[in-house]
Every structure is written in C-alpha cells, then in structure tokens.
Amino acid sequence: MDKFCFGIDIGGTTIKCGLFTANGELKEKWEIPSRTENGGIQVPQDVADTIDAKLKELSIEKKDVLGVGIGVPGPITEDGTVLKCANLGWDIFNVNEKMSALTGLKVATANDANVAALGEMWMGGGKGYKNIVMVTLGTGVGGGVILNGKIVAGSNGGGGEIGHMTMNLDEKETCGCGKHGHLEQYASATGIVRLAKKRLLDTSVTTSLRELAEVTAKDIFDHAKAGDTVALELVEELGRYLGLALSHVAAAVDPQVFVIGGGVSRAGSMLLDVISKYYNQNIIFALSNKEFRLAELGNDAGIYGCAKLVIG
Amino acid sequence: MDKFCFGIDIGGTTIKCGLFTANGELKEKWEIPSRTENGGIQVPQDVADTIDAKLKELSIEKKDVLGVGIGVPGPITEDGTVLKCANLGWDIFNVNEKMSALTGLKVATANDANVAALGEMWMGGGKGYKNIVMVTLGTGVGGGVILNGKIVAGSNGGGGEIGHMTMNLDEKETCGCGKHGHLEQYASATGIVRLAKKRLLDTSVTTSLRELAEVTAKDIFDHAKAGDTVALELVEELGRYLGLALSHVAAAVDPQVFVIGGGVSRAGSMLLDVISKYYNQNIIFALSNKEFRLAELGNDAGIYGCAKLVIG
C-alpha cells in the first residue's frame, strides 16, 4: 500500500488542502473556507474533519498516512507554537499538539511564507537546491530561508521576514507593521502601485499609466515592457530596493538561488533582470552571480511545502 | 584516558593553537608564525609539526585525539574547500583532506569569523544559546551566523559576510572589497576613524579629538564618554549603520542574541546601547528587544570555535 500525507495551507480566507503520496505526487487538492469568527476556534476541527472525510472517501487508513503538514499565516516557532495569528484570530497555542490530538496523526507546522519556500525548493523553482531564499511579491512581501533543506524558522518565528527590512530611512508613509521604509512598501504589488500613484500626483509627468482608471502592478510592468519611461523607472525602483535587500540576505546566509514568486513575479524575466542587476551592484564579489529564478508552483507552493514538512 | 582535540586558528601573521579536553577545557595555548611566503605552501606542514610536537611533549597518543578544528581567513565551503585566501597566499584546495593526510587525524575547517562566532556561542558571550549572530569589529567587520548550534557556511563560503552589506548607496570611497558603502567602511575600527578624519577636515568643527596626534577608535569612544559632541555623533553614526545592518540579519534568520566582539567592542555598554537603539528603531515588532551582548573570549574565540567544530 502507498503511503500518503496531507498538506494543509491555512489562509485568512480559505484553507488549501492537498493529499500527496510519499514521493511528492499531488493526488487531490481542494479548499474549504477559513471560519475566522470567534477567534478562529472552529479552524482546527474543520481541518481535522476535512482530513477524515478525504480518508473515508478514498478508503485510506490512518496507518498509511505519514502525517499532516500545516502552514499558518503568522509567526510560529520550530516546535509548532503559533505566537499570534491576526488573520485567523488565533491566540498563542501549540498547533502540533492540538491538531495531533484532533487527527490522531503526526503533525508538523510552519509559517505560510516559509512552507511556500520549502515547496518551491522541493518541486518548484528551487528544485535541485538545498539552500534557497524565496520572496513572494503579493499584497505584501513574504519570505522564506531554506538552509540544508530545512526552514529557518527563527527564535521568534521571524525567519525570512524579508518584507520588513528597512530599506529607506527617509520614508514618511507607514508600513502595515507600523514602522517606516520597509521593503514591503516598495516591492509588493501594493507597494509599486503606491509609488506609481505618488508619481502621477505630479501633473507634469507624462506617462501612458495616466490613461488607466486604476493602476495595477501588472499594468506597470506591461507599460514598462511597452517602453513607457515612468513605468520603467518604477520597475527600476522596485528592483533597486529588492536587489539591495536580497544582497543583505546573501551576506547573512549565502544561498544558492533566489526564487521569486507571488503575483508580481508574473512579470517574468524583466523582473528577474532588474533584481539581479541591483543585487550584483551591491554584493561582495565572492557572492555575485547568484541564480534568480521564478517560482513555479503558484498557489500550490504552500501545500507542497506542508507535505514536505512531514516527508522530511 | 581523557580525550583531546586541537583548535588551530590560522591568521595572516600568527597561527593560534589550543589543546582542549573533550569537554571544552583549554589545557594549553601557544602561537607559531604564519609563513605566508611562496603562496603559504609551508603553513599546512607547520601546523602538522606543531601538533605532533605538542603530542610528544605531553605524551598524548593520537588515538586519544578526537580531531583538529581549523579556522582560515577566507571563504571556505562546508566540505573544507578554501576558495581563495589572500592573507595566506593560498589557492583553491581542500584543507580537510590536506591536513588529515599530514596529521593522520580527523579535520574540520571553517572561516575564521565563523569559528569565532561558534566559540562565543559555546563558551563566551553567546553561551546557553544555539542561534546567535556575532559581529567582530576590528580592522574590518567580520561576522558569523550560528543556527541550531552550527555555522551557516553558505554555498560560496560567504555565510556571515555582514561587513559587506551595502549600507550607503551614496558612498564615494571604496571598501576593501572594491564596492562602495559597505558596513565595514563605518562600523570597523578603521571605519570610525575614517569618519572622524573626514569630520576633522572641517576646521570649523570644535572637538577634543583635534588635540590628538592620531585618532583611534578607542579615542573616539573615550572622548564620547567624556561628553565630546563630535565623538558622540561618530558613535551614533557607527551605531546607526550597525543597528540597521543587524536588523537586516534578524529579518533573515531571527537569532536569539547578537554578540559583539573585536577591538571596538572594548567600548562596552555604550556600544551595545547605541546598536540596540538603532536596531529597535528599524526592526519589525515581533523581532524587537533581542539581547545584545559583548564577546567574552577575546582572541581565544577562534581556537574555542575550532575545537567545537571537532567536538560537535
């Protein structure tokens, strides 16, 4: 009989679920809603129930399940203690113990950005490497550091919090975290749109972006590819901050490859080129010419990484 | 019979040697000169000879030696391949294999700044912790990242190259590595003296530092402690760059404690206070209030870390 495991990526809106074989084949994937009301108290039971239902549906016995890997949207220590999880309303508790009691299965838990990085290392843009740094450029900037094939969770669950590196000491606007000038304010989808809106306030600036009712990150890259000078400058600005930030990460942990994911990464090679340009401008020679790759698993990176947590 | 191991910290001028018991007691320490002529070809044999001589002197048999840990002043991969070692004139070769053949003992090798960090974690300022970041503020700025009790060597041997984080994009003067605006240009002993000399060029600046024939890093901290405004500003500038750089490192790996060593660290609590002030100004809340501690092993940190490489 084949062995199986579950990858459960808990988000603020939906819980993405995957059933994998022990060698990493995704057999089934589905979603259930995240019931975040009442401090998210229902979420653990919902996860246990959907696992039970799937096992019953496919006539898989628990003895053939290696375990359940879980990703949560907040800082979590290596032993599975979630420290605060605003998106779910969760307080402090040990997810491994709770979910193990509910499912009767072995459970491993990690931060969602970190499991995405692990998933990309295993089966995506970082395949073949053991030391990768992933950044996810979405609404925010998430990050994950994988060394020797393992997540660097950090002593406060803050490993890979790359989006909150302070990149601009002169920034007046506030980051989501309350500080100023963090990478997320420039290199996320929200961030580059913010920069664009600031440029458009200057009525003397001529740009094809002005013709749009609303500017998105995709628009900015599309107009840059079409040659619009202002859009090109905005892409450069994103690349300048992100390339510099990744040079800082490299000076700390010297990975083999950087994997860039999230919605903004759909801009493709133009994005990789501008990041690597500014990375190489700043990095010490011994660490130059790292590989920059696009993520490949999209929204499935998390469930893959969760499964890998269990498979080891 | 007790078991022993050697810690051999190879520098550009001297080779520091220590004989340790397996539980970390330093039994003997001594130095031999680094013969760097002819591409440092004599260094491995000199190390083997001094080990043999010490074993003979103390009537210790090789079967009672766990191994030899070696620190080298340059980037080195996890398997012991030195990539370039300008200070010794060494080309690329595998130090573990070479030294194992010469000594008949098990050999483990790591970068000198990294073994100093490992030593401080084991028996110095980071004792009791498994996740530490150490910076050594000397002629340059060295760094070491220790996670789960192990050195992060990095894929190019560049783990912990904190001194070469780009902190000032507007810097015109050149770092020792050829780039511009690296941390080492501000936070090393040489760096803060450079900043002082620039200030003193402005003849309208009034400072007690002007009375000195030559300004040293120690002078700057001493005059700051005595209340000299310009010296205080220079200490703030060092702290601003270093606190920011360490906030970048924390966002990547989230250590438990930062250990500050090297000559500049003799400034003591004034230095720790200014670093932690700027660290906390920049870091995301979840990673605030890290411990900042002074290194405790001085020049012996390297030999301790080398011994720990072998003891594991």
Side-chain angles (χ1 to χ4, degrees):
Chain A
M1 183 70 188
D2 278 352
K3 295 286 181 186
F4 297 94
C5 68
F6 287 91
I8 308 288
D9 186 9
I10 303 178
T13 312
T14 59
I15 300 172
K16 298 187 181 70
C17 307
L19 175 70
F20 292 81
T21 63
N23 55 19
E25 192 191 342
L26 178 58
K27 299 294 284 182
E28 298 219 1
K29 73 173 174 175
W30 69 101
E31 290 185 6
I32 60 171
S34 300
R35 292 203 277 163
T36 55
E37 59 270 24
N38 303 322
I41 198 168
Q42 199 54 45
V43 170
Q45 189 62 57
D46 287 350
V47 169
D49 289 347
T50 198
I51 288 171
D52 265 348
K54 186 57 66 178
L55 292 175
K56 203 163 288 173
E57 179 195 331
L58 300 177
S59 302
I60 297 172
E61 290 183 61
K62 282 201 176 170
K63 71 171 177 54
D64 294 318
V65 178
L66 295 172
V68 181
I70 296 179
V72 297
I76 187 155
T77 62
E78 235 164 295
D79 77 340
T81 302
V82 65
L83 296 174
K84 204 189 159 192
C85 209
N87 288 344
L88 299 177
W90 281 1
D91 213 350
I92 297 171
F93 72 100
N94 189 291
V95 180
N96 291 356
E97 287 171 11
K98 176 83 178 172
M99 290 307 306
S100 202
L102 289 174
T103 60
L105 294 165
K106 185 187 142 194
V107 175
T109 312
N111 168 267
D112 57 355
N114 289 349
V115 290
L118 186 63
E120 288 288 342
M121 180 209 76
W122 188 35
M123 291 289 179
K127 197 170 176 174
Y129 295 98
K130 291 283 175 206
N131 299 301
I132 81 161
V133 170
M134 181 175 177
V135 282
T136 303
L137 310 177
T139 310
V141 171
V145 176
I146 310 289
L147 297 178
N148 291 320
K150 305 281 180 199
I151 288 169
V152 174
S155 56
N156 295 298
E161 276 289 6
I162 296 166
H164 295 284
M165 284 186 167
T166 304
M167 302 311 295
N168 180 3
L169 295 170
D170 301 323
E171 180 61 72
K172 297 283 176 286
E173 291 185 35
T174 308
C175 179
C177 78
K179 298 277 179 164
H180 297 85
H182 283 186
L183 177 63
E184 187 161 291
Q185 292 182 270
Y186 311 95
S188 63
T190 323
I192 193 170
V193 167
R194 182 182 73 91
L195 296 174
K197 283 182 177 162
K198 279 179 71 172
R199 288 300 300 277
L200 289 169
L201 284 180
D202 179 349
T203 51
S204 72
V205 168
T206 308
T207 163
S208 55
L209 293 171
R210 204 177 282 289
E211 297 151 24
L212 303 167
E214 186 133 13
V215 177
T216 67
K218 182 178 184 303
D219 293 329
I220 296 167
F221 278 91
D222 286 347
H223 286 236
K225 285 170 188 169
D228 180 73
T229 311
V230 170
L232 280 164
E233 286 167 6
L234 290 165
V235 169
E236 288 283 316
E237 192 165 355
L238 179 151
R240 195 162 64 239
Y241 283 115
L242 188 51
L244 178 60
L246 295 185
S247 80
H248 295 330
V249 179
V253 301
D254 183 14
Q256 295 162 298
V257 60
F258 291 100
V259 177
I260 316 294
V264 177
S265 73
R266 284 195 284 268
S269 61
M270 174 183 245
L271 176 66
L272 297 187
D273 289 349
V274 73
I275 298 171
S276 64
K277 179 173 94 173
Y278 286 102
Y279 173 86
N280 283 308
Q281 237 172 58
N282 291 299
I283 197 72
I284 184 171
F285 180 74
L287 300 179
S288 58
N289 298 317
K290 295 278 177 202
E291 273 198 77
F292 290 82
R293 296 173 161 221
L294 296 170
E296 293 174 2
L297 301 177
N299 289 333
D300 291 344
I303 55 172
Y304 273 94
C306 289
K308 181 66 176 158
L309 275 183
V310 175
I311 292 170
Chain B
M1 184 68 187
D2 277 352
K3 295 286 182 187
F4 296 94
C5 68
F6 287 91
I8 309 287
D9 186 11
I10 304 178
T13 313
T14 58
I15 301 171
K16 297 187 182 69
C17 307
L19 175 70
F20 292 81
T21 63
N23 55 21
E25 192 191 341
L26 177 57
K27 298 294 283 183
E28 296 220 2
K29 72 174 174 175
W30 69 101
E31 290 185 8
I32 60 172
S34 300
R35 292 202 277 162
T36 55
E37 59 270 23
N38 303 322
I41 198 169
Q42 199 54 44
V43 171
Q45 189 63 56
D46 287 350
V47 169
D49 290 347
T50 198
I51 287 172
D52 265 348
K54 186 57 66 179
L55 292 175
K56 203 164 288 173
E57 179 196 330
L58 300 177
S59 303
I60 297 171
E61 290 183 59
K62 283 201 176 170
K63 71 171 177 53
D64 293 318
V65 179
L66 295 172
V68 181
I70 297 179
V72 297
I76 185 154
T77 63
E78 235 163 296
D79 77 341
T81 303
V82 66
L83 296 174
K84 204 188 159 195
C85 208
N87 288 344
L88 299 176
W90 281 1
D91 213 351
I92 296 171
F93 72 100
N94 188 292
V95 179
N96 291 357
E97 288 170 12
K98 176 82 179 171
M99 290 307 307
S100 201
L102 288 175
T103 60
L105 293 165
K106 184 185 143 197
V107 175
T109 312
N111 168 267
D112 57 355
N114 289 349
V115 290
L118 187 62
E120 288 288 343
M121 180 210 75
W122 188 35
M123 290 289 179
K127 197 169 177 175
Y129 295 99
K130 291 285 173 203
N131 299 301
I132 81 162
V133 170
M134 183 178 176
V135 282
T136 303
L137 310 177
T139 310
V141 171
V145 177
I146 310 290
L147 298 178
N148 291 321
K150 305 280 179 198
I151 289 170
V152 174
S155 57
N156 296 297
E161 276 289 6
I162 296 167
H164 295 284
M165 285 186 166
T166 304
M167 303 310 295
N168 181 3
L169 295 169
D170 301 322
E171 180 61 71
K172 297 284 177 286
E173 292 185 33
T174 309
C175 180
C177 78
K179 297 277 178 163
H180 297 86
H182 283 185
L183 178 63
E184 187 161 292
Q185 292 182 271
Y186 311 96
S188 62
T190 323
I192 194 171
V193 167
R194 182 182 75 89
L195 296 174
K197 284 183 177 162
K198 279 179 71 171
R199 288 301 300 278
L200 289 170
L201 284 179
D202 179 350
T203 50
S204 73
V205 169
T206 308
T207 163
S208 55
L209 292 170
R210 204 177 281 290
E211 296 151 24
L212 303 168
E214 186 134 13
V215 176
T216 66
K218 180 177 185 304
D219 294 329
I220 295 167
F221 278 91
D222 287 347
H223 286 236
K225 286 170 188 168
D228 180 74
T229 311
V230 170
L232 279 164
E233 286 167 6
L234 290 165
V235 168
E236 287 284 317
E237 193 164 355
L238 179 151
R240 195 163 64 238
Y241 284 114
L242 188 51
L244 179 60
L246 295 185
S247 79
H248 295 330
V249 178
V253 301
D254 182 13
Q256 294 161 297
V257 60
F258 290 100
V259 177
I260 316 295
V264 176
S265 73
R266 283 194 284 268
S269 60
M270 175 184 244
L271 176 67
L272 297 187
D273 290 348
V274 73
I275 298 170
S276 63
K277 179 173 95 174
Y278 286 102
Y279 173 86
N280 283 309
Q281 238 172 56
N282 291 299
I283 197 71
I284 184 172
F285 180 73
L287 301 178
S288 58
N289 298 316
K290 295 278 178 202
E291 273 198 77
F292 290 82
R293 295 174 163 220
L294 295 170
E296 293 174 2
L297 300 177
N299 290 332
D300 291 344
I303 56 173
Y304 272 93
C306 290
K308 181 66 176 160
L309 276 183
V310 176
I311 293 169

